[in-house]
Amino acid sequence: MFFIVTAHYNSPFFEETALSVVNQDESEFIWVVVDDSSSENFAADVKRFCSLDQRIFFIENRYEKGAGNARNFGLDYLADKFSDQSDFYLTFIDSDDEWNPQFLSAMRKLIADSGYNIASSSYRMSWPNRQTREHASEGEYTVLSNAINYRMACLSTVLFLSTWSDLDGIRFGKTPRGNDQPFFIGFLKKMRVGLLSSDVLATYRVG
């Protein structure tokens, strides 16, 4: 089982993101979309889309606002609603990014075959003028090497958890940028090493 968390705020690209999730060739997932006080029209459109698929849960952030806090709220929601779940995968996608159709299945296989508890795929960066650039490399990474060469991108990193308690004490930060790093680094410190695949399986929308 995959659990997916998305923080949403007034994204004009949410439908593209959502289609990249629901069209995954790995269909066994639960996706929680956390709306972070979007305008009424944006929130209504997202809520309407989520209602079309029973695997998707739309909730409103009741924490302090901001993407990191919204992700924390989504994690707490999942940990409470699915508290008995064991041996599962956890990942994140922002409301303007996209996954290749095989992202989830490829990451499941990578983690299962390698034995790592945290792994990342490579990804492409896409600008409004339609220029793209691949951010691709491979190999093991540690906290130090991630600081030198940013490898744990939020949209392309997957964690394998035995229970939700594996995340005890690990939270997203409150800063507007880089709030994902305290979360992923916190988990990587426990695991000591992660694995990066050279396969480009996701698209990060810049700007």
Side-chain angles (χ1 to χ4, degrees):
M1 170 70 77
F2 278 87
F3 290 102
I4 307 165
V5 177
T6 293
H8 171 267
Y9 177 73
N10 287 350
S11 172
F13 304 105
F14 177 78
E15 186 171 348
E16 288 94 331
T17 298
L19 289 174
S20 83
V21 175
V22 300
N23 290 329
Q24 288 291 301
D25 58 13
E26 166 66 66
S27 62
E28 189 178 1
F29 64 79
I30 296 295
W31 182 23
V32 59
V33 178
V34 187
D35 189 73
D36 199 32
S37 297
S38 294
S39 65
E40 185 175 347
N41 288 342
F42 275 106
D45 286 346
V46 172
K47 187 174 185 179
R48 189 179 306 113
F49 187 98
C50 294
S51 70
L52 301 176
D53 193 315
Q54 63 182 1
R55 298 170 298 179
I56 311 175
F57 295 83
F58 175 89
I59 61 175
E60 296 177 345
N61 180 21
R62 296 190 179 93
Y63 285 0
E64 181 182 344
K65 303 310 174 186
N69 292 314
R71 294 187 189 110
N72 287 332
F73 186 69
L75 285 172
D76 288 347
Y77 174 87
L78 289 172
D80 180 63
K81 190 173 182 66
F82 301 95
S83 58
D84 294 335
Q85 188 74 36
S86 60
D87 296 337
F88 56 93
Y89 301 87
L90 174 67
T91 189
F92 303 84
I93 184 169
D94 285 348
S95 57
D96 58 353
D97 295 335
E98 296 178 41
W99 286 334
N100 291 14
Q102 71 275 27
F103 173 77
L104 293 180
S105 61
M107 295 305 291
R108 177 198 287 274
K109 186 175 189 305
L110 177 65
I111 289 174
D113 290 349
S114 67
Y116 289 82
N117 288 80
I118 180 169
S120 306
S121 77
S122 295
Y123 60 94
R124 71 185 59 82
M125 303 175 74
S126 176
W127 282 267
N129 62 6
R130 300 195 176 185
Q131 286 188 332
T132 62
R133 177 166 61 85
E134 291 189 352
H135 190 280
S137 56
E138 63 182 338
E140 291 184 338
Y141 57 79
T142 63
V143 171
L144 178 59
S145 63
N146 181 71
I148 297 171
N149 182 12
Y150 187 70
R151 294 187 169 191
M152 293 183 294
C154 193
L155 81 157
S156 61
T157 297
V158 176
L159 282 56
F160 180 74
L161 307 177
S162 297
T163 69
W164 289 104
S165 63
D166 289 345
L167 297 180
D168 285 352
I170 301 175
R171 308 292 283 176
F172 283 85
K174 296 183 178 182
T175 58
R177 292 183 177 275
N179 57 70
D180 57 325
Q181 288 301 287
F183 179 83
F184 289 119
I185 288 174
F187 190 76
L188 183 56
K189 283 180 177 177
K190 288 187 175 183
M191 299 299 109
R192 298 191 177 182
V193 63
L195 183 64
L196 174 67
S197 167
S198 61
D199 292 334
V200 177
L201 300 176
T203 301
Y204 170 69
R205 196 183 298 272
V206 182

